[in-house]
Amino acid sequence: MFESRESQYQEVFRKLAAAVADWEASPYYLGEEELFDLERFLVDQGVPELVEELEKTFGKPLNPSFWSSSLAYQRLRRARQEVKAQEALQEEKRLAFQNALEEGQKAWRKWLNEWAASQRKRQFKVLDGGRKDSLAP
């Protein structure tokens, strides 16, 4: 019985490792808190006694108390925050570049239209002659 429970736990821990690796793609990811829902995962895997044992060790509620005690999680969280900040900065720069590019294209089109209009005006030439009689007194 003990070996079957141990092998069951090992299988649960393998699945846990895979689910945590998926992180945001995992159905157990809690986006608002940026936590993996360990408690729900273990209950879904059919090992609620493991939840109780972890709550004895880490405290209740399990998710925040367990993850806050993990140095690896804290490092991951800081790294994710830094990545989000960098992505926001990159998006801001991308939008500024896109706006500058659009403004440059507008200015180029305006100059091109003005140049084309000036070229059309040059094509018209005033010729000598014509109706001189109507102008003379």
Side-chain angles (χ1 to χ4, degrees):
M1 177 95 180
F2 179 71
E3 284 186 29
S4 68
R5 176 71 62 185
E6 185 178 318
S7 64
Q8 180 186 11
Y9 285 170
Q10 287 177 354
E11 182 61 28
V12 167
F13 288 135
R14 274 194 286 277
K15 289 178 182 178
L16 176 62
V20 169
D22 289 343
W23 201 253
E24 289 180 351
S26 170
Y28 298 102
Y29 176 70
L30 303 173
E32 307 84 42
E33 303 169 36
E34 286 201 8
L35 290 175
F36 182 85
D37 193 349
L38 179 63
E39 187 172 353
R40 188 167 54 99
F41 176 82
L42 294 174
V43 170
D44 288 353
Q45 295 300 315
V47 287
E49 67 277 0
L50 190 54
V51 173
E52 293 171 12
E53 191 173 324
L54 289 172
E55 285 177 339
K56 287 178 189 173
T57 304
F58 294 100
K60 288 185 179 183
L62 179 60
N63 287 323
S65 60
F66 176 81
W67 292 114
S68 66
S69 68
S70 169
L71 182 59
Y73 170 74
Q74 296 302 325
R75 287 180 181 161
L76 173 66
R77 187 170 182 198
R78 272 187 248 120
R80 287 176 53 80
Q81 288 172 343
E82 182 63 30
V83 165
K84 283 183 180 181
Q86 291 295 326
E87 285 176 348
L89 180 62
Q90 190 64 29
E91 181 65 14
E92 185 180 315
K93 288 179 180 179
R94 186 191 70 76
L95 288 174
F97 177 77
Q98 184 178 4
N99 288 339
L101 187 62
E102 288 172 0
E103 289 299 318
Q105 288 174 343
K106 285 179 187 176
W108 169 250
R109 278 190 230 113
K110 181 181 176 186
W111 179 86
L112 194 57
N113 288 336
E114 289 172 356
W115 179 80
S118 72
Q119 292 301 311
R120 280 188 295 254
K121 285 181 185 176
R122 283 185 168 176
Q123 290 176 356
F124 297 112
K125 294 184 180 178
V126 177
L127 300 175
D128 290 335
R131 304 175 85 191
K132 291 184 184 179
D133 296 337
S134 62
L135 295 177

